[in-house]
Amino acid sequence: MKQFFTYTLTLALALALVSPEASAQQFSKRKQYNSVGVSLNAMNYFGDIVPKASIPSLRFAATRPNIGVNLTHRFTPRISARVALAYGRITGDDSKAADKNDADARFRYHRNMNFRNDLVEASAVGVFDLIANRNNYIKRPDFVPYVFAGVAVFHHNPKGLVGPNTSNLEQGTYVNLQPLQTEGISYSLTQVSIPFGGGVRYKLNRSFDIGLEIGWRKTFTDYLDDVSQVYIEDSKLTSPAAKYFGRGITRTDDGTFINFNSPGEMRGKGNEKDWYIVTGVNLNYILAPRVKSPKFR
């Protein structure tokens, strides 16, 4: 996944730099235009609470919706800039993702962690069309594949669902995990990510395009799921909720739940940052540019 990210981002930047249309001066102002769009997407995540201990592993049943709006400006026959605002959710649950009969997954099954996380993302990306449009928006190509890369800022807030336990917590409620410092670490709920990916765009008519797009988000945090490092001592967990989520409750074969983790034992992989992925359909409406009539004297 790291190599895929590097190659995709490098390709997108290289194409933009070497393209002969890289200067907006070569593209008439009368041919530049804006478009606004909406997107309906599916959202997944790669992290610690997944079927396999690797970034490409995800649980499709954990897919959740994502919606967004965007504004795009075309600068040259191939290059556009897009800003977007999106909201979506990611989830994970060891009891559903990990197979207790799989030796590699048994640890995650007994860890018995779960989370959901609502993300609000603002992004700015450069879009490089693989088929150029040297005309105005009316004569744009019918079918255009493209790649994109940029930067995003997102706000998140992981929460855990309280299950059967012996504490005073109310079962079936969601608890904010970041304030609990379940691993003795305070992390920010506002983070930066690197969005990149590709898609295809199809011309419906004079004013509308419809497209299919997939985009990965490389983050710089390992706490989208509130799991990263090791279990810490009970004395450092300051509330019943912190002890419930920070120590972990495991299920036995007879269905009872017990604590089994010791301080210093592995809780998460710790050596990989979390990712999330957005896949979906977008509909864009082209804002017809104003054409100024020549003045005669």
Side-chain angles (χ1 to χ4, degrees):
M1 180 61 71
K2 288 183 178 179
Q3 291 181 339
F4 179 77
F5 161 70
T6 303
Y7 294 155
T8 303
L9 183 58
T10 301
L11 175 62
L13 294 176
L15 288 172
L17 290 174
V18 304
S19 172
E21 298 99 358
S23 171
Q25 294 178 355
Q26 299 180 21
F27 194 58
S28 168
K29 289 286 187 180
R30 298 180 63 180
K31 294 180 181 179
Q32 297 181 21
Y33 58 87
N34 298 318
S35 63
V36 294
V38 295
S39 60
L40 179 61
N41 312 295
M43 200 169 184
N44 296 92
Y45 113 107
F46 307 133
D48 291 280
I49 306 179
V50 291
K52 299 291 183 180
S54 61
I55 288 180
S57 176
L58 60 83
R59 178 173 170 264
F60 286 102
T63 302
R64 293 297 182 269
N66 172 289
I67 57 174
V69 294
N70 65 77
L71 172 65
T72 303
H73 178 75
R74 174 164 298 279
F75 287 100
T76 77
R78 292 185 187 269
I79 299 174
S80 302
R82 183 178 72 195
V83 294
L85 182 65
Y87 167 81
R89 173 175 291 179
I90 55 175
T91 66
D93 190 333
D94 279 335
S95 68
K96 299 175 181 178
D99 181 2
K100 68 177 180 179
N101 298 316
D102 184 342
D104 293 332
R106 192 174 299 127
F107 154 72
R108 291 186 295 280
Y109 176 82
H110 288 299
R111 179 179 59 189
N112 196 34
M113 296 295 176
N114 72 82
F115 85 102
R116 77 178 188 190
N117 197 342
D118 295 335
L119 285 75
V120 178
E121 177 195 81
S123 63
V125 302
V127 181
F128 185 89
D129 289 351
L130 302 184
I131 298 177
N133 172 24
R134 303 182 187 279
N135 299 299
N136 58 27
Y137 77 97
I138 298 174
K139 297 181 180 180
R140 66 191 187 279
D142 289 337
F143 181 83
V144 178
Y146 62 89
V147 295
F148 67 89
V151 64
V153 177
F154 66 93
H155 180 81
H156 71 115
N157 186 24
K159 298 180 180 181
L161 177 65
V162 178
N165 64 88
T166 57
S167 72
N168 296 324
L169 299 178
E170 182 180 352
Q171 296 181 24
T173 60
Y174 279 92
V175 176
N176 292 333
L177 297 175
Q178 187 258 9
L180 302 180
Q181 295 191 22
T182 53
E183 296 181 357
I185 296 174
S186 177
Y187 55 87
S188 175
L189 296 180
T190 300
Q191 298 283 343
V192 174
S193 70
I194 304 298
F196 68 97
V200 292
R201 190 169 61 247
Y202 179 74
K203 176 183 176 182
L204 289 176
N205 55 36
R206 175 188 177 117
S207 299
F208 283 95
D209 287 339
I210 190 170
L212 176 65
E213 181 175 293
I214 180 170
W216 288 263
R217 298 333 190 242
K218 159 66 177 174
T219 79
F220 300 92
T221 178
D222 195 25
Y223 284 99
L224 292 184
D225 47 23
D226 195 65
V227 176
S228 178
Q229 302 292 327
V230 298
Y231 292 97
I232 62 175
E233 298 175 0
D234 279 346
S235 60
K236 296 180 180 180
L237 299 171
T238 58
S239 70
K243 291 180 180 180
Y244 176 74
F245 288 102
R247 298 295 292 117
I249 306 293
T250 187
R251 62 181 66 76
T252 62
D253 291 336
D254 61 5
T256 59
F257 291 79
I258 60 172
N259 287 311
F260 82 113
N261 305 296
S262 301
E265 287 187 356
M266 183 174 67
R267 188 169 184 260
K269 297 191 298 292
N271 59 347
E272 296 283 356
K273 302 302 182 184
D274 293 335
W275 294 62
Y276 58 98
I277 179 173
V278 180
T279 307
V281 176
N282 51 71
L283 181 67
N284 296 288
Y285 174 73
I286 295 174
L287 303 173
R290 293 183 178 180
V291 178
K292 296 182 178 179
S293 300
K295 296 181 179 180
F296 297 96
R297 295 183 178 180

